[in-house]
Amino acid sequence: MNNFSIISSLLDNDFYKFTMQNAVLKLFPLVKAKYEFINRGKYSFPKNFANILKENLNKMSYLKLSNKERIFLEKYCPYLDSSYLDFLNQYQYNPKEVNIYQKGKNIKMNIEGLWSRTILWEVPLMAIISELYYKLTGIKRLSDKNIIILTKEKLKKYKKLKVKIGEFGTRRRYSYQVHKLILKILIEEGYPFFIGSSNVHLSHIFSIKPIGTKGHEWIMFHAAKYGFNIADRIAMENWLNIYKGNLGIALSDTYTSSIFFKNFNKKLSNTFKGIRHDSGDPISFIKKTIKHYKKFKINPIKKKIVFSDNLNPDKVAFISSFCKNKINPFFGIGTNFTNDVGPPSMNIVIKMIKTIPKKNWISVVKLSNVEKKSTGKKNMIFFAKKILHL
């Protein structure tokens, strides 16, 4: 591998991609999926960007799970069974699944194939696009010394607040090198408040347990297969069937939190250890969550909320003070750790847009608690809102 390989390990990805891949293989092995790159920030990409991006993807086809990496997964992620790890041993990225073309300064990209295979592309692709963009546009960052100072300052604030924090910043990191540097500081100086990283490869390097559960695409597929009204519930039940209560954080905003809470029945509320908040006003969400648990006579102080929506030390201070003695907050901090190094971080996403749950392609949508975070075709979003009476 020459120095220009941005992704150097099959595990340089978010943990929830592997946990979802395992569940997809067990329950929906023949389902196909299609993803699309969305340039939310309307960036102009330099000449030849698409070709250099393709070169990086082609190098990814040589990545294989090493014996050491498999042993790491067996030790730290016991709920990933040997049949899945055997699959991962055989897995190789297939760049033919990714279609990229550049028109002027605009990049178009989609990914298509078996869901169980294509599910791993999103996070490393975004990390490559981000790193290449800074490299090819020559946008300078802070020095390592200043990054270390800044990260330690943030860490000091989090330690003072006594809050549990994790690092979720793979997809929009400035670069692999910056990501590794920041994680090293968090591990060396974050004890006992730093609880881990979502990046499996870096977790392996530093011998820590990777963190994460599932993403929106898991529920979006269930909506395509079973309908919008019950997607949350069936997605959670299927998750329980695979993981038996492990990885028990429910995702609350694929079809807005109000629909989620209708699906989050007494059994699920008891079984899942907590809920992830990823969009909308955190305070009203905390209130709703507490009210929901109390309705089922569940003590909220025994439950968690994992906050992961664009966090920084001020937001964390505000949210954690409101949670005090009410419910347990955890914070997944992404870009504010891995790409707060001078230039603005990129506002880009790659989202599932279609799937084949039965015979034909169906467009999928996500209706976030915040309008601008919704994804999917306009007519499908309209249709979903109508069905859900939103």
Side-chain angles (χ1 to χ4, degrees):
M1 294 273 160
N2 69 32
N3 293 336
F4 212 51
S5 288
I6 288 172
I7 305 292
S8 60
S9 161
L10 188 69
L11 297 185
D12 190 0
N13 206 327
D14 276 337
F15 183 50
Y16 77 167
K17 284 293 181 172
F18 300 104
T19 58
M20 286 193 292
Q21 185 181 47
N22 175 41
V24 171
L25 277 164
K26 303 275 195 295
L27 300 176
F28 310 110
L30 300 177
V31 165
K32 286 186 169 174
K34 195 171 192 172
Y35 299 79
E36 188 175 71
F37 171 67
I38 304 163
N39 181 3
R40 277 187 185 156
K42 308 270 190 289
Y43 301 97
S44 296
F45 288 93
K47 202 177 160 183
N48 215 23
F49 190 91
N51 291 330
I52 298 168
L53 183 54
K54 282 176 194 168
E55 278 171 31
N56 266 276
L57 299 201
N58 291 335
K59 286 176 190 163
M60 285 173 69
S61 66
Y62 298 103
L63 300 173
K64 293 278 279 181
L65 189 75
S66 71
N67 283 343
K68 281 182 178 169
E69 287 172 330
R70 179 170 177 143
I71 291 163
F72 166 78
L73 291 172
E74 285 168 347
K75 181 182 173 183
Y76 286 91
C77 317
Y79 26 75
L80 296 177
D81 63 5
S82 59
S83 69
Y84 171 65
L85 296 180
D86 290 345
F87 167 85
L88 211 53
N89 263 128
Q90 299 302 315
Y91 181 90
Q92 281 175 284
Y93 281 106
N94 178 4
K96 289 195 175 95
E97 293 164 348
V98 187
N99 181 24
I100 306 164
Y101 55 97
Q102 182 164 358
K103 205 174 169 187
K105 294 184 172 180
N106 203 11
I107 294 282
K108 295 273 186 201
M109 176 165 65
N110 54 57
I111 304 155
E112 187 181 320
L114 280 173
W115 189 21
S116 60
R117 290 194 43 81
T118 53
I119 197 165
L120 290 191
W121 277 113
E122 175 197 348
V123 176
L125 261 178
M126 284 180 64
I128 292 171
I129 291 167
S130 186
E131 183 159 348
L132 274 183
Y133 179 78
Y134 295 119
K135 199 172 254 176
L136 297 175
T137 52
I139 300 172
K140 293 280 176 275
R141 64 167 173 89
L142 298 173
S143 66
D144 283 8
K145 188 185 168 190
N146 284 335
I147 290 173
I148 292 166
I149 291 166
L150 186 63
T151 307
K152 285 183 177 178
E153 278 171 7
K154 288 175 192 169
L155 203 46
K156 210 164 142 187
K157 289 175 183 172
Y158 293 133
K159 288 171 95 165
K160 201 175 169 187
L161 292 167
K162 295 186 164 61
V163 290
K164 298 281 188 204
I165 54 162
E167 178 274 305
F168 283 13
T170 304
R171 65 187 57 223
R172 293 187 193 92
R173 66 192 181 197
Y174 180 91
S175 69
Y176 172 76
Q177 188 208 340
V178 165
H179 192 176
K180 194 175 175 184
L181 174 69
I182 284 165
L183 193 54
K184 187 170 182 280
I185 299 161
L186 295 175
I187 291 165
E188 285 172 359
E189 314 218 358
Y191 183 82
F193 302 108
F194 179 65
I195 56 167
S197 168
S198 65
N199 186 291
V200 188
H201 159 64
L202 291 172
S203 296
H204 172 225
I205 284 181
F206 292 112
S207 300
I208 58 170
K209 184 181 168 184
I211 55 175
T213 51
K214 59 182 173 294
H216 295 100
E217 68 185 280
W218 177 249
I219 302 151
M220 288 157 74
F221 164 77
H222 281 77
K225 189 167 171 68
Y226 304 104
F228 295 110
N229 277 303
I230 55 171
D232 278 307
R233 179 171 63 78
I234 299 181
M236 285 186 271
E237 284 168 357
N238 277 335
W239 197 254
L240 280 181
N241 290 339
I242 298 292
Y243 290 113
K244 316 286 183 247
N246 287 308
L247 306 173
I249 299 294
L251 184 53
S252 65
D253 70 333
T254 316
Y255 297 108
T256 73
S257 299
S258 57
I259 300 299
F260 167 80
F261 283 119
K262 282 179 189 167
N263 279 272
F264 201 40
N265 60 28
K266 189 172 185 175
K267 178 197 163 191
L268 294 169
S269 297
N270 269 301
T271 312
F272 276 82
K273 296 180 180 80
I275 306 176
R276 179 152 79 93
H277 169 269
D278 196 47
S279 65
D281 176 51
I283 303 304
S284 71
F285 182 80
I286 298 161
K287 289 175 182 169
K288 269 186 200 165
T289 304
I290 290 169
K291 190 179 169 189
H292 178 84
Y293 280 131
K294 284 183 172 169
K295 180 178 83 179
F296 292 131
K297 302 202 167 25
I298 296 167
N299 184 357
I301 210 74
K302 295 202 163 118
K303 297 292 183 182
K304 308 173 178 173
I305 302 180
V306 179
F307 295 91
S308 60
D309 181 23
N310 200 10
L311 299 171
N312 59 39
D314 294 338
K315 278 190 191 172
V316 170
F318 178 63
I319 294 167
S320 65
S321 71
F322 190 82
C323 287
K324 211 172 174 75
N325 304 325
K326 298 186 190 93
I327 196 160
N328 291 304
F330 284 70
F331 299 92
I333 295 154
T335 313
N336 190 256
F337 272 146
T338 60
N339 203 347
D340 182 26
V341 295
S345 58
M346 294 191 83
N347 186 4
I348 54 174
V349 291
I350 292 172
K351 287 287 174 203
M352 183 196 270
I353 54 161
K354 285 183 175 180
T355 182
I356 306 183
K358 291 168 186 149
K359 282 183 185 153
N360 303 314
W361 284 106
I362 290 183
S363 291
V364 296
V365 297
K366 171 189 156 202
L367 305 178
S368 163
N369 290 322
V370 177
E371 195 79 42
K372 71 174 196 287
K373 282 184 98 173
S374 297
T375 61
K377 285 190 169 161
K378 282 199 171 104
N379 60 344
M380 205 62 177
I381 290 174
F382 177 79
F383 177 62
K385 284 181 171 174
K386 200 174 166 185
I387 286 176
L388 294 168
H389 305 297
L390 291 173

